């Protein structure tokens, strides 16, 4: 069975690619307009490309920088932006998979301990119905440490924040972090 894997970066793709390759013919799809700024987008894209080339995983598209479109979608909805971010990236993957004759799709976002796993699963299930293909759900978080160790061993670029400029501020702005902690 041919599966299209939405990939967010190189390190997060290691474990899902290894696992899925045991059962499926995997192709990668890099669609991540949420990653800012441009240099960060390029670093993540290049780390994925290098990993896939070394491991002979076809990449069907490496996408283009989509900061403007992303911001247009989330502005005034900053606090719920992750839902927009998940559904946009996953819908593009499901649509592309259906158009290109893949039987299934899934995402490396299921590898992250920091994402909303239940929402991702629900989103994938709904999109599978909409596009008439299978969504392969796997809890890739079980390979969390394996992926970290392997990416360090391979000298891959490892990103320090989720992706969007809002998450970059949340990662580095000490005052904002303090404020968020005290308002919880
Ligand atoms: S925090 Fe991460 S998942 Fe949420 S909108 Fe930003 S890039 Fe997307």
């Amino acid at each position: 069975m041919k599966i299209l894997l939405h990939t967010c970066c190189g390190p997060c793709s290691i474990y899902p690619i290894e696992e899925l390759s045991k059962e499926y013919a995997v192709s990668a799809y890099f669609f991540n307009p949420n990653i800012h700024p441009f240099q960060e987008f390029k670093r993540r894209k290049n780390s994925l490309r290098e990993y896939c080339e070394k491991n002979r995983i076809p990449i069907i598209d490496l996408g283009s920088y989509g900061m403007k479109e992303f911001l247009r979608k989330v502005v005034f909805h900053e606090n719920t932006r992750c839902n927009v971010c998940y559904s946009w990236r996953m819908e593009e993957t499901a649509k592309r998979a259906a158009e290109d004759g893949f039987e299934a799709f899934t995402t490396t976002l299921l590898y992250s301990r920091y994402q909303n796993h239940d929402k991702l699963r629900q989103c994938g299930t709904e999109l599978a119905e909409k596009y008439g293909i299978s969504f392969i759900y796997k809890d890739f978080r079980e390979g969390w440490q394996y992926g970290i160790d392997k990416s360090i061993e391979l000298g891959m670029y490892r990103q320090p924040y989720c992706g969007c400029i809002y998450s970059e501020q949340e990662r580095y702005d000490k005052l904002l972090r303090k404020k968020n902690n005290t308002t919880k």
Side-chain angles (χ1 to χ4, degrees):
M1 191 191 258
K2 280 174 30 176
I3 189 167
L4 188 60
L5 174 65
H6 165 257
T7 47
C8 58
C9 65
C12 291
S13 303
I14 295 173
Y15 185 73
I17 285 177
E18 286 191 16
E19 279 303 295
L20 291 168
S21 297
K22 292 173 185 168
E23 293 176 64
Y24 306 99
V26 182
S27 292
Y29 181 37
F30 187 86
F31 179 80
N32 300 294
N34 58 310
I35 302 172
H36 323 139
F38 185 57
Q39 292 290 351
E40 179 69 21
F41 175 79
K42 280 205 306 187
R43 280 189 202 107
R44 297 190 196 188
K45 184 162 88 162
N46 288 340
S47 80
L48 174 78
R49 197 190 55 230
E50 283 163 21
Y51 181 77
C52 286
E53 280 173 2
K54 271 186 201 143
N55 291 279
R56 299 190 181 170
I57 301 294
I59 304 176
I60 66 156
D61 203 332
L62 271 174
S64 52
Y65 189 52
M67 183 188 69
K68 282 187 197 163
E69 292 82 355
F70 179 85
L71 292 179
R72 282 175 189 150
K73 278 183 188 284
V74 302
V75 78
F76 299 122
H77 307 287
E78 289 83 359
N79 292 339
T80 52
R81 69 185 187 271
C82 298
N83 295 339
V84 176
C85 184
Y86 294 158
S87 59
W88 188 15
R89 290 191 280 170
M90 288 179 76
E91 175 142 20
E92 285 300 319
T93 310
K95 203 190 316 176
R96 187 66 189 264
E99 283 168 4
D100 286 16
F102 287 85
E103 286 106 352
F105 77 103
T106 191
T107 174
T108 57
L109 296 171
L110 293 168
Y111 165 80
S112 174
R113 286 184 178 174
Y114 299 111
Q115 306 301 350
N116 186 326
H117 211 81
D118 292 338
K119 274 218 183 326
L120 290 167
R121 185 177 194 167
Q122 185 193 344
C123 186
T125 306
E126 288 167 6
L127 289 168
E129 196 162 324
K130 182 171 175 183
Y131 289 96
I133 56 171
S134 300
F135 170 62
I136 303 301
Y137 170 78
K138 282 186 188 277
D139 190 349
F140 295 123
R141 291 175 297 185
E142 63 196 21
W144 177 250
Q145 194 56 47
Y146 174 83
I148 291 172
D149 294 344
K150 190 96 190 205
S151 62
I152 291 170
E153 186 189 311
L154 293 170
M156 292 170 93
Y157 171 69
R158 295 183 47 78
Q159 65 271 21
Y161 58 94
C162 190
C164 60
I165 48 172
Y166 308 102
S167 64
E168 194 261 2
Q169 186 190 5
E170 285 164 2
R171 169 69 178 79
Y172 294 112
D173 186 338
K174 283 187 185 147
L175 283 178
L176 179 72
R177 290 173 70 166
K178 205 169 159 188
K179 188 173 148 224
N180 286 346
N181 284 336
T182 49
T183 52
K184 271 177 194 167

